[in-house]
Amino acid sequence: MTATTPERVDLVGRFIRLTPLAESDLDELYDAIGSARVFASGYGGGPAGLPGDAAAFREFARGYYHWGERGIAYAIRLEGGADDGRIVGTSTLGDFEPVNEAAHLGWTAYDPRVWGTVVNPEAKLLLLGAAFDHGFGRVKLQADAVNARSRAAILRLGATFEGVLRRVMPKPDGTWRDTAVYSVLADEWPGVRAGLEERIAAWGDRPVELADSAVD
């Protein structure tokens, strides 16, 4: 069947809620991900792409994230606990090709304080679920080839490595990015979903709080 673009609605899990990203979210998102640790491995073009302040981040976000017809960018918020509602990251479903039943899950970054928690597996469960529930047959995930953390996280969720596209785009430091490409297909989704659900169940019932010690 031909795929359809998901609606711009909240995606709600046990530990997080994804809300369509708004301009009013950008200052709080900068507080969460506007750090050298996040950009060090290639996010946003790498260390040279790190905006210097909240105003610069707002300008960066307007061009970097897929808004409007380009995709659905989300703010990732904690559910429950002392930090209920706090933005701890962002991710996007974009590059929709309904006729080809293809989509792209990317532009993902998290506050380092939630690295190693249940936040990423549940975000992937919600986003991949939204794509496959709307008829998409292939969801692409990708990362800068030098971003070992992101590449390991993509493999851990069960995606298949397809290869490296060389010299794809210029970086802010004047070098060129090689992009590692992965995918999950519709017939692989039940197994991937089961693996994500197992990881989420292993977290237990405690809410994620920013005082938690992340396991790297």
Side-chain angles (χ1 to χ4, degrees):
M1 69 175 180
T2 301
T4 58
T5 302
E7 301 83 4
R8 296 176 187 275
V9 297
D10 291 2
L11 305 177
V12 183
R14 291 175 57 195
F15 303 100
I16 59 171
R17 174 188 296 266
L18 278 62
T19 61
L21 187 66
E23 286 272 346
S24 58
D25 296 326
L26 294 181
D27 285 356
E28 189 175 353
L29 181 59
Y30 174 69
D31 289 341
I33 69 170
S35 72
R37 290 185 70 191
V38 173
F39 281 70
S41 297
Y43 187 75
L50 174 62
D53 55 28
F57 181 80
R58 289 194 295 273
E59 187 63 27
F60 159 83
R62 293 182 188 112
Y64 186 69
Y65 298 123
H66 280 207
W67 308 73
E69 295 181 359
R70 300 176 66 196
I72 308 171
Y74 295 91
I76 301 173
R77 303 174 182 273
L78 297 179
E79 280 276 287
D83 297 301
D84 182 59
R86 181 78 171 267
I87 294 176
V88 294
T90 184
S91 195
T92 295
L93 283 174
D95 294 341
F96 296 115
E97 300 177 37
V99 173
N100 295 326
E101 298 181 357
H104 178 187
L105 196 174
W107 302 272
T108 303
Y110 301 107
D111 187 319
R113 290 174 291 181
V114 302
W115 290 356
T117 70
V118 73
V119 170
N120 184 53
E122 187 160 60
K124 293 299 190 293
L125 180 72
L126 294 170
L127 291 164
L128 288 168
F132 291 120
D133 286 349
H134 283 79
F136 287 91
R138 177 179 184 270
V139 179
K140 177 179 70 175
L141 302 98
Q142 62 186 35
D144 190 315
V146 302
N147 192 336
R149 173 181 290 278
S150 290
R151 294 185 65 176
I154 293 170
L155 282 175
R156 190 179 179 203
L157 71 87
T160 297
F161 175 59
E162 296 184 338
V164 174
L165 301 177
R166 300 183 297 165
R167 206 176 188 272
V168 172
M169 66 181 70
K171 297 184 181 183
D173 65 1
T175 63
W176 285 80
R177 166 173 158 153
D178 294 341
T179 296
V181 180
Y182 304 78
S183 67
V184 178
L185 304 184
D187 59 358
E188 299 165 343
W189 171 230
V192 171
R193 180 177 57 210
L196 291 171
E197 289 172 342
E198 182 177 351
R199 290 170 62 188
I200 293 166
W203 179 259
D205 294 323
R206 68 191 188 280
V208 178
E209 298 184 348
L210 295 183
D212 288 343
S213 296
V215 180
D216 289 341

